[in-house]
Amino acid sequence: MKKTLLISFFSIVCCFFLMAQKGDSPMVMYVDGEVWYEGVNASPARVYTGTQLGTNGQIILKNKAAVEIIYKEKFVKLNKAGKHDLSKLFGTTTSNMNFVQRFSNFVSNGLDQSASEKQLEKSYLKNQNNAQGNIRGFTDSGLAGIMPIGGNISPETTEFYWPDAGAGVHYEFQIIDSLSEEMIFMALSKATKLSIDLGGLYLKAGKTYYWEAYHVREKAGAGLIQNENSEEKSPRIYFKITPDKQQAILEMLKQEAAYQETASKPQQSLMEAMQLEEAGFLYAADQTYQKAMHQDKENPLLKRNYAAFLARWQQLSKAREVLSDSPDK
Amino acid sequence: MFKRFFYRVFSQRRDSGENDGKPPSVSTSTSSLRNNSKIHALAVTFIIFLFIGLIKLVTFQLHFFDPFNNGVKDYEVTDIIYARLRDTTRVKREARIVLIHVDKPDRASLANLLDRINAQSPRAIGLDILFAGQRDAVGDSLLSRRLQEIPNVVLAGNLAQYQDSLKGIPNMKLSEPAFSDYGVNAYTNFLAGTDRTVRLFSPTITTLNGKENKAFAVALAEQYDASAGNRLLQRKKKVERINYFGDYRSFIRLNAASLQDAPEEALAVCKDRIVMIGFVANNDPGAPIEDRYFTPLNPVYTGRSIPDMYGMVIHANILTMILNGNYIYELPKWIVTIMVWLFGYINVLIIRRIYLGLPDIFHGVTRILQIVELTIFFFFIALIFYYLRILIDFSNGFLALMLAYDILMIYESFLKKRIPIIKTLTHEKDPTN
């Protein structure tokens, strides 16, 4: 009986040991570009995603290559060309901080951050680096030079534009139903701008659509072909067709005493733009700002508000441009 | 010193307690005082929970509280556990799933990719792409043919919007029949909008046309390990909490663009694994935000921040949870309600004793008690969730603890003296008469 129990116990221990051994080597989770592994006393071998490496040896990265490896729950990302010693990379273990220590750090950090008003402000500002006024990111997020940038759009003539991809590139512009993926409109364009009467298209009120523009190049004998590098396209911009509301918002604003009492035209435009933005008519708000800027180019109030509007909607580069023209800067 | 402190607070011999620190005008027996104390504590507890109910009712209905509501509604205490109490330096690896990033593939190259993946004998292939409409005839035909040849393919579907008037979801939008006829169709929707945090998913949803549809990860799990899928379905839960395994770093990833000219060895990783094909770019702040969601792993757990996880990584997390059988368990609501009420009641009882026994230092002692209790209880709730995956929603209990001090003050100095029913309830005579 004792013998059976002992054999069973050791079998279980051995099983655990083997299971632990199975996952006990560095594993390549992602590879981009040319990466090699040179084991101890072994010739270099090409590394692909999923390759199991030895714990010693070197990882060799060619130019522009990147690799991600996990070993014993330690994650390492390499993107510098050259040789990297695995024993050095994984020699140090990950932090051994247990749950109680992490909890105590969390509580003490909280207490430190709220110890004084200055500390509170400091931690608030630190947090602001990660947060922003809208959900799309703290950068242009690939939206630079793109309009309309989403929100509500009235079914009227709308000018779509996107960044220039250089000479010899044409663009395949599409408007697609976001739910059914049905193509509503498609056009090939040489320019990075397309003026479309949305009222003339089969777009349903209240429905969401998206637009995007692919890069297409001319190939000898093959005509225009869509670029295989799928990164060469504009991002998808979702918008909702909202008829009548835009006009109603402006009519309501015009009834307001504050609007009527304002003699300054730029101020009225500002009010209109803000109202439109609040109702999600981003394209119309942008048009209103632009029209107002055209009428009064040097108005600092307009410039700052327009720049703030652009910054709120991931047009940071354009916002900087607007501000850099500012005479009081 | 402590002995004296506890004696003053908890000694039942202090019979001056029930009259705001003044000697009682009517002699009362110890047991009736004890009963009065309990009734008062119960009354205060009731007012606290009534107040909490009212706050929730009023704030969530009024438009001008929206900025507050949007922050609060989209926040759970467990988010802190995922975001701050998890050891983020440790990255677990999931070796059964391979994620392949495709940006906007044409159907011909996708057919080619599928062919090459299938040559490696994967256990299941999930296409997180909806093939709606016909595009070019050659590409469509190639992809259709490939899907006919490959077994174990799961295709993405899209559940239609919930219709209030019909009280349900009418149907699931599928890919073109040329594709959807040759694989299992499963929905990729999450129980959250694009600006909300994804914490839950529905394993199955029956649409109004009577069809039972499965979630994308569930369909893939069934292809890989039927028993794991069955274990999930046997739980018979309409909604499951997602036990997040890790972010994108935890999963094996490939980029379809770099596979075009790569040798077959580059695809060898697909052998005997679940391969998911869809959009899963990197997580840089400037990376595309298409199909990207907030999850509890987001380090900024309050207010708005950058969406942190692609839809396909969320599907991979769900899949891992199903395969591991590591589900999150929630205590039944009625148990939590009893716990919260009991917690509130005991705290009111203690705080009231301090109020009556130590009027000079009541404020300081109560605040310290609240902070200590809050920390200890939060620690245990976090610990239970972290190690046992048992979720206890104790937010109302914490709120009750925070409100106990102020409501007790209002009760003792205002309500108790002015509301006759409370006096009748406790059989006390007004000492001023």
Side-chain angles (χ1 to χ4, degrees):
Chain A
M1 178 69 184
K2 271 183 189 174
K3 206 176 169 183
T4 321
L5 276 172
L6 270 170
I7 290 168
S8 313
F9 174 75
F10 281 112
S11 314
I12 291 166
V13 170
C14 286
C15 279
F16 272 113
F17 183 73
L18 283 173
M19 277 164 76
Q21 287 295 304
K22 199 183 166 189
D24 215 15
S25 64
M27 185 173 186
V28 177
M29 304 300 280
Y30 178 73
V31 171
D32 186 18
E34 200 180 327
V35 180
W36 292 79
Y37 169 66
E38 195 179 321
V40 182
N41 302 325
S43 54
R46 181 83 188 256
V47 169
Y48 298 103
T49 296
T51 306
Q52 302 267 357
L53 308 171
T55 47
N56 291 309
Q58 287 182 321
I59 278 279
I60 304 152
L61 269 74
K62 301 285 179 186
N63 273 340
K64 290 182 182 174
V67 65
E68 292 173 11
I69 309 164
I70 296 182
Y71 176 51
K72 287 184 176 171
E73 297 192 349
K74 186 174 180 180
F75 177 84
V76 170
K77 183 177 181 173
L78 303 170
N79 49 18
K80 273 187 187 166
K83 287 186 175 184
H84 303 266
D85 202 330
L86 277 174
S87 57
K88 272 185 192 166
L89 290 172
F90 294 106
T92 54
T93 51
T94 48
S95 77
N96 283 321
M97 211 184 268
N98 60 31
F99 184 83
V100 179
Q101 284 167 315
R102 286 198 296 277
F103 185 84
S104 133
N105 276 355
F106 170 69
V107 173
S108 61
N109 281 345
L111 292 174
D112 287 347
Q113 285 177 357
S114 53
S116 66
E117 270 189 37
K118 212 173 173 182
Q119 286 288 90
L120 201 63
E121 196 183 331
K122 206 174 151 189
S123 51
Y124 170 76
L125 288 172
K126 196 178 159 194
N127 199 35
Q128 286 304 296
N129 287 332
N130 298 320
Q132 66 284 311
N134 53 62
I135 63 158
R136 293 209 159 214
F138 204 57
T139 62
D140 274 331
S141 287
L143 294 179
I146 280 172
M147 193 57 74
I149 42 169
N152 295 322
I153 295 184
S154 290
E156 354 181 287
T157 304
T158 306
E159 203 161 74
F160 291 82
Y161 56 89
W162 54 90
D164 191 353
V169 180
H170 293 59
Y171 305 92
E172 187 184 299
F173 176 88
Q174 298 175 349
I175 294 179
I176 290 167
D177 184 322
S178 77
L179 187 66
S180 65
E181 291 277 329
E182 263 174 90
M183 193 184 288
I184 308 294
F185 180 81
M186 202 268 270
L188 280 168
S189 164
K190 273 185 180 176
T192 56
K193 213 186 328 186
L194 210 56
S195 193
I196 301 164
D197 179 11
L198 296 180
L201 300 182
Y202 184 64
L203 299 172
K204 288 183 190 163
K207 273 198 89 172
T208 304
Y209 300 87
Y210 66 83
W211 74 268
E212 57 192 345
Y214 286 93
H215 302 176
V216 284
R217 292 174 206 276
E218 208 158 353
K219 237 186 186 179
L224 285 174
I225 59 152
Q226 205 176 80
N227 203 307
E228 281 180 3
N229 182 355
S230 48
E231 276 174 22
E232 290 190 8
K233 71 170 183 77
S234 72
R236 276 182 188 178
I237 305 292
Y238 290 83
F239 63 93
K240 196 195 243 179
I241 290 294
T242 315
D244 308 325
K245 205 178 162 193
Q246 183 182 328
Q247 207 48 41
I249 288 162
L250 292 177
E251 289 303 324
M252 264 171 68
L253 176 71
K254 283 172 186 167
Q255 305 294 320
E256 297 277 328
Y259 184 87
Q260 287 169 357
E261 284 161 16
T262 309
S264 153
K265 186 74 190 145
Q267 257 186 33
Q268 284 185 335
S269 302
L270 255 181
M271 285 181 182
E272 287 171 17
M274 285 173 170
Q275 204 71 18
L276 287 168
E277 186 192 352
E278 202 175 307
F281 287 92
L282 306 179
Y283 174 71
D286 183 75
Q287 293 290 302
T288 311
Y289 274 118
Q290 283 199 33
K291 217 182 277 175
M293 291 275 289
H294 189 68
Q295 284 163 357
D296 191 354
K297 279 182 183 164
E298 298 308 320
N299 189 320
L301 190 69
L302 264 178
K303 278 192 169 185
R304 285 182 182 181
N305 275 286
Y306 186 36
F309 165 80
L310 292 168
R312 279 195 293 278
W313 297 103
Q314 270 68 48
Q315 303 279 313
L316 290 178
S317 319
K318 201 174 166 189
R320 278 190 208 106
E321 266 174 46
V322 170
L323 283 178
S324 62
D325 294 339
S326 184
D328 56 351
K329 186 143 189 332
Chain B
M1 189 192 154
F2 285 111
K3 215 172 173 184
R4 206 165 61 223
F5 173 84
F6 282 110
Y7 177 76
R8 283 187 68 188
V9 175
F10 295 104
S11 167
Q12 290 303 321
R13 288 167 64 195
R14 277 185 57 82
D15 54 2
S16 61
E18 298 309 315
N19 286 315
D20 305 337
K22 295 171 196 166
S25 56
V26 182
S27 65
T28 47
S29 70
T30 312
S31 69
S32 92
L33 272 173
R34 218 178 279 161
N35 286 339
N36 283 355
S37 189
K38 281 174 188 164
I39 290 168
H40 283 303
L42 205 63
V44 175
T45 312
F46 180 75
I47 295 167
I48 289 170
F49 285 109
L50 191 72
F51 187 71
I52 292 172
L54 281 174
I55 294 174
K56 288 190 172 172
L57 199 72
V58 173
T59 54
F60 290 154
Q61 298 303 323
L62 293 183
H63 176 66
F64 57 82
F65 279 117
D66 274 357
F68 166 77
N69 289 342
N70 290 341
V72 171
K73 271 183 186 174
D74 200 28
Y75 164 76
E76 278 189 12
V77 176
T78 47
D79 292 356
I80 301 175
I81 302 165
Y82 274 119
R84 293 293 163 90
L85 302 180
R86 205 167 40 101
D87 188 352
T88 46
T89 60
R90 288 177 180 275
V91 181
K92 287 183 279 183
R93 71 183 183 207
E94 169 53 90
R96 293 165 293 187
I97 302 168
V98 178
L99 308 180
I100 301 186
H101 169 65
V102 286
D103 202 341
K104 183 84 182 177
D106 62 273
R107 290 173 183 175
S109 42
L110 200 60
N112 181 39
L113 179 68
L114 278 174
D115 196 26
R116 293 181 67 197
I117 292 169
N118 190 45
Q120 302 297 332
S121 313
R123 294 274 284 275
I125 301 175
L127 276 160
D128 188 10
I129 304 163
L130 191 80
F131 303 103
Q134 293 174 351
R135 296 275 160 97
D136 72 300
V138 178
D140 284 4
S141 142
L142 277 171
L143 182 60
S144 177
R145 207 181 312 148
R146 210 59 76 228
L147 288 170
Q148 288 173 49
E149 289 164 7
I150 303 171
N152 306 337
V153 174
V154 176
L155 288 158
N158 203 341
L159 287 172
Q161 290 260 323
Y162 180 86
Q163 300 280 325
D164 267 335
S165 55
L166 302 169
K167 298 262 177 277
I169 295 165
N171 52 30
M172 181 168 77
K173 169 88 189 163
L174 304 179
S175 294
E176 277 290 293
F179 314 119
S180 61
D181 286 353
Y182 306 110
V184 177
N185 294 283
Y187 58 88
T188 50
N189 312 54
F190 297 114
L191 284 172
T194 49
D195 55 350
R196 295 273 175 203
T197 308
V198 180
R199 297 188 188 88
L200 310 163
F201 87 103
S202 290
T204 59
I205 283 180
T206 306
T207 41
L208 291 172
N209 56 12
K211 203 174 169 219
E212 191 190 54
N213 304 286
K214 283 178 182 158
F216 190 64
V218 176
L220 277 171
E222 284 182 337
Q223 300 274 358
Y224 184 82
D225 178 2
S227 62
N230 283 339
R231 272 201 305 273
L232 168 76
L233 299 177
Q234 273 164 13
R235 285 165 60 84
K236 289 181 182 159
K237 287 187 80 177
K238 278 190 174 176
V239 168
E240 282 281 357
R241 242 165 221 285
I242 304 169
N243 183 14
Y244 279 92
F245 180 78
D247 58 24
Y248 74 103
R249 296 174 302 169
S250 293
F251 298 93
I252 300 167
R253 286 171 296 127
L254 290 165
N255 192 342
S258 61
L259 289 174
Q260 277 176 353
D261 307 318
E264 292 311 303
E265 293 100 299
L267 282 155
V269 67
C270 299
K271 188 172 170 57
D272 288 334
R273 290 190 165 102
I274 301 169
V275 178
M276 291 168 82
I277 304 168
F279 195 89
V280 55
N282 62 47
N283 263 37
D284 297 338
I289 54 121
E290 282 178 40
D291 194 31
R292 209 159 139 179
Y293 299 84
F294 293 103
T295 72
L297 304 190
N298 197 321
V300 184
Y301 54 86
T302 52
R304 286 172 163 184
S305 59
I306 302 164
D308 55 295
M309 200 177 277
Y310 285 103
M312 202 161 79
V313 184
I314 300 179
H315 290 305
N317 268 287
I318 299 171
L319 191 49
T320 301
M321 176 180 82
I322 299 170
L323 296 179
N324 292 343
N326 284 340
Y327 298 106
I328 292 173
Y329 299 91
E330 283 179 77
L331 279 191
K333 263 198 168 164
W334 64 271
I335 295 181
V336 176
T337 309
I338 291 174
M339 280 169 67
V340 164
W341 270 79
L342 208 64
F343 177 75
Y345 173 72
I346 292 169
N347 269 295
V348 170
L349 213 59
I350 296 169
I351 292 172
R352 194 164 180 274
R353 290 277 177 120
I354 300 168
Y355 173 74
L356 297 173
L358 298 161
D360 303 337
I361 52 166
F362 163 65
H363 180 87
V365 172
T366 313
R367 288 295 185 224
I368 291 169
L369 180 85
Q370 282 175 325
I371 292 168
V372 171
E373 252 189 88
L374 207 66
T375 313
I376 292 172
F377 268 81
F378 178 67
F379 173 78
F380 280 112
I381 282 170
L383 197 75
I384 289 168
F385 182 75
Y386 190 81
Y387 286 108
L388 305 174
R389 300 188 310 279
I390 297 173
L391 177 67
I392 305 168
D393 182 6
F394 215 67
S395 47
N396 281 342
F398 292 147
L399 209 54
L401 176 64
M402 297 318 288
L403 288 169
Y405 170 87
D406 299 280
I407 292 194
L408 181 74
M409 292 283 278
I410 295 168
Y411 179 84
E412 290 291 341
S413 57
F414 182 77
L415 297 176
K416 204 170 133 187
K417 287 172 186 167
R418 282 169 181 78
I419 299 175
I421 195 166
I422 296 174
K423 284 186 211 165
T424 327
L425 203 74
T426 57
H427 310 291
E428 278 180 8
K429 283 184 185 172
D430 191 342
T432 53
N433 287 338

